Every structure is written in structure tokens, then in C-alpha cells.
């Protein structure tokens, strides 16, 4: 199947950049969000990012212009997805919300359309039965920020057809992203399972009073040569994102070790969600919208 039209649902920190990857790759791309404010913010951010890319000669002015000509900002889901060849969902990390979105999409899109979720932890088998096309459902997990990070975890569930997997891998290649195929499902996939193990241990050390979060970040960067510390990364990704991911894992496993930590609970209640709110573990000069 030849892919020409791509739709991304959700214009947040992941979705708007995935959509731009699609537009840069030559796809006729729709970015959908029920919030017009989110769409306007996405347009502003992408305009700024692409402007910097032109300045740095990563792309030409003509490439930027053509990408924006192919990228459409739409609030109505039916209008955005009615003729899509593939839809990539990038809404909030809550299973019930994703299932509702997939059920709606299943009624809107053509029979050949592949539906992929960008979830960082939720396997597609928990979503596929909300549709009539489980063979066309898979995970395409881009990493934050998608316009910078060169990796996509494509995850094949028992319900996913080989054709669907091949198509997802092909789209990643067209987007100039390195796709890695996981042959079996596991919550959190590969990168985040390793990352969560580090973050959980860092949080345990912090809450246990062994070292301050700044010093833990410093040790991880200096001794392990990580480019960013675990607490800095939580601020960058969003405290709320990490919280919802852990809450989802806890609901799936029932293991107290997977439950969000006391510190994350406190920061959620205080609205200290990281860089996007101006304060998380660290304090930032200006609020950065996600």
C-alpha cells in the first residue's frame, strides 16, 4: 500500500513534532486536536523550530515552505482522519482516553487505514479490541523531542499483521528515523523500562535522604556520562507524563513498586510539572508551554 496521507491526533509536545516529521517526509499531513489553542501553539512552535533549522542550514527555505504547505491544523477529528492512510495517536497517557479515540477513529477512517499509538508504555493489545481492525493496530513510540531524537520503537502485538509492521517501519524510514522492531509486547518497551529503573532508583535514593536530587543528577552525568540527570529528564518530559505512566503501570500490575512515588504525588498536586510550568524539581526562568 502506498502511503500518501497521514494524520496525527493530539497536538501536544509529541504530536506536533511527529506531524512535522510527516510533512517533511512528503506526506500530506493533518494535525488534529480538539483544542484550537493547542493547534495555534503547535503552529507557533513549529514555525520557530523550522526557522532555526533554516538558519542552521539543516533545511532550505523551500523545504520549510513545502512542509508547511503539506501540514494542516484541524480541530474536527472526522475531517482530519476521513481519508488517512495511517493515523498516529499522541493524546494523554491514559488508557481509557486512548481506547475512546481509537473507537472513534475506527468508525471514521477507511478499511485499509493503520492506527498506531505513540504511547510510551501502553501496549496496543489493550487498545486493539476497541476497534474492528486489530490486525492494523500497533505501537509507534517516538522519543521526546521527536524532531531531535532518532529512534522509534515499533511494537508488534500478537494481533498485529506483518503488513502493518512493515508499513510502520517504512514510514519511520521515510521520516528519516531509525525504527527498531520489538517482536513481542511488554509494558514500557525497551528504552523506558531501562529509564524507569534508573528513575525509580534515583527517587528512592532521594526520598531515602542519601543525596539531594541535584547531586544525584550530577553523579549520573559525571560518573555515568549521561547527558542529562534523571530529575532533569523528569522535568523535561513532564512530571505529569511520568506520573500517568507509573499510574497506568500500577493499575496493570498491582505492584506497589510501580505506584507513583510520594514526591511525584506532591508535585502533581502542587502543579509543579517541570519545564512547561516553570517549576518541577528545578525552577526555570520562564514558563515553557508543552
Amino acid at each position: 500500500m502506498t502511503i500518501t496521507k497521514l494524520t496525527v491526533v493530539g497536538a501536544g509536545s509529541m504530536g506536533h513534532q511527529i506531524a512535522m516529521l510527516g510533512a517533511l517526509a512528503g506526506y500530506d499531513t493533518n494535525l488534529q486536536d480538539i483544542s484550537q489553542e493547542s493547534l495555534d501553539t503547535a503552529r507557533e512552535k513549529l514555525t520557530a523550530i523550522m526557522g532555526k533549522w533554516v538558519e542552521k542550514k539543516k533545511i532550505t527555505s523551500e523545504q520549510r515552505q513545502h512542509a508547511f504547505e503539506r501540514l494542516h491544523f484541524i480541530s474536527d477529528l472526522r475531517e482530519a482522519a476521513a481519508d488517512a492512510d495511517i493515523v498516529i495517536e499522541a493524546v494523554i497517557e491514559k488508557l481509557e482516553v486512548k481506547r475512546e479515540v481509537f473507537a472513534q477513529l475506527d468508525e471514521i477512517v477507511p478499511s485499509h487505514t493503520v492506527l498506531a499509538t505513540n504511547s510510551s508504555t501502553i501496549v496496543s493489545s489493550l487498545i486493539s479490541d476497541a476497534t474492528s481492525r486489530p490486525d492494523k493496530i500497533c505501537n509507534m513510540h517516538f522519543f521526546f523531542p521527536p524532531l531531535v531524537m532518532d529512534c522509534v520503537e515499533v511494537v508488534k502485538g500478537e494481533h498485529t499483521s506483518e503488513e502493518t509492521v512493515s508499513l510502520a517501519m517504512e514510514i519511520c524510514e521515510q521520516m528519516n528515523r531509525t525504527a527498531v522492531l520489538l517482536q513481542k509486547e511488554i509494558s514500557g518497551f525497551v528504552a523506558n523500562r531501562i529509564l524507569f529503573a534508573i528513575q525509580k532508583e534515583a527517587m528512592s535514593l532521594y526520598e531515602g535522604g542519601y543525596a539531594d536530587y541535584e547531586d544525584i543528577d550530577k553523579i549520573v552525568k559525571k560518573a555515568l556520562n549521561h547527558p542529562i540527570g534523571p530529575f532533569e529528564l523528569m522535568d523535561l518530559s513532564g512530571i505529569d507524563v511520568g506520573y500517568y505512566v507509573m499510574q497506568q503501570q500500577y493499575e496493570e500490575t498491582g505492584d506497589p513498586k510501580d505506584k507513583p512515588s510520594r514526591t511525584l504525588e506532591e508535585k502533581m498536586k502542587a502543579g509543579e510539572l517541570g519545564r512547561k510550568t516553570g517549576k518541577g524539581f528545578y525552577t526555570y526562568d520562564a514558563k515553557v508551554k508543552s
Side-chain angles (χ1 to χ4, degrees), residues 106-270:
D106 188 49
E107 295 180 354
I108 294 171
V109 300
S111 59
H112 71 270
T113 305
V114 166
L115 304 178
T117 175
N118 179 57
S119 174
S120 58
T121 56
I122 300 172
V123 293
S124 66
S125 60
L126 295 176
I127 302 172
S128 61
D129 65 346
T131 77
S132 63
R133 64 186 81 205
D135 61 310
K136 293 181 172 62
I137 311 296
C138 70
N139 287 88
M140 289 178 69
H141 176 219
F142 293 76
F143 290 84
F144 182 78
L147 284 167
V148 175
M149 299 297 287
D150 175 28
C151 188
V152 181
E153 291 175 320
V154 176
V155 188
K156 181 180 184 294
E158 291 184 359
H159 55 282
T160 310
S161 70
E162 291 294 341
E163 182 182 8
T164 295
V165 167
S166 296
L167 185 140
M169 299 289 283
E170 175 189 327
I171 289 172
C172 294
E173 182 179 353
Q174 187 70 19
M175 289 179 171
N176 197 30
R177 287 295 172 269
T178 300
V180 182
L181 177 61
L182 277 65
Q183 293 286 355
K184 295 198 311 183
E185 291 185 329
I186 186 169
S187 177
F189 318 132
V190 173
N192 275 342
R193 289 184 71 86
I194 295 171
L195 176 61
F196 293 160
I198 294 172
Q199 290 184 344
K200 284 180 181 179
E201 185 60 30
M203 188 67 75
S204 177
L205 291 167
Y206 168 62
E207 292 186 342
Y210 296 100
D212 189 72
Y213 64 86
E214 292 176 299
D215 291 328
I216 294 172
D217 276 351
K218 187 182 298 182
I219 291 169
V220 169
K221 289 187 289 186
K222 296 293 185 180
L224 303 182
N225 203 29
H226 288 203
I228 188 171
F231 294 95
E232 291 172 319
L233 184 54
M234 282 186 261
D235 273 4
L236 178 63
S237 301
I239 300 294
D240 53 336
V241 174
Y243 176 86
Y244 289 134
V245 164
M246 294 188 72
Q247 188 65 37
Q248 177 63 39
Q249 284 193 316
Y250 175 61
E251 290 176 5
E252 290 180 29
T253 67
D255 188 340
K257 293 181 181 178
D258 292 330
K259 193 173 183 180
S261 69
R262 169 178 50 81
T263 300
L264 288 185
E265 291 269 8
E266 291 172 352
K267 292 201 171 292
M268 282 290 292
K269 290 178 181 178

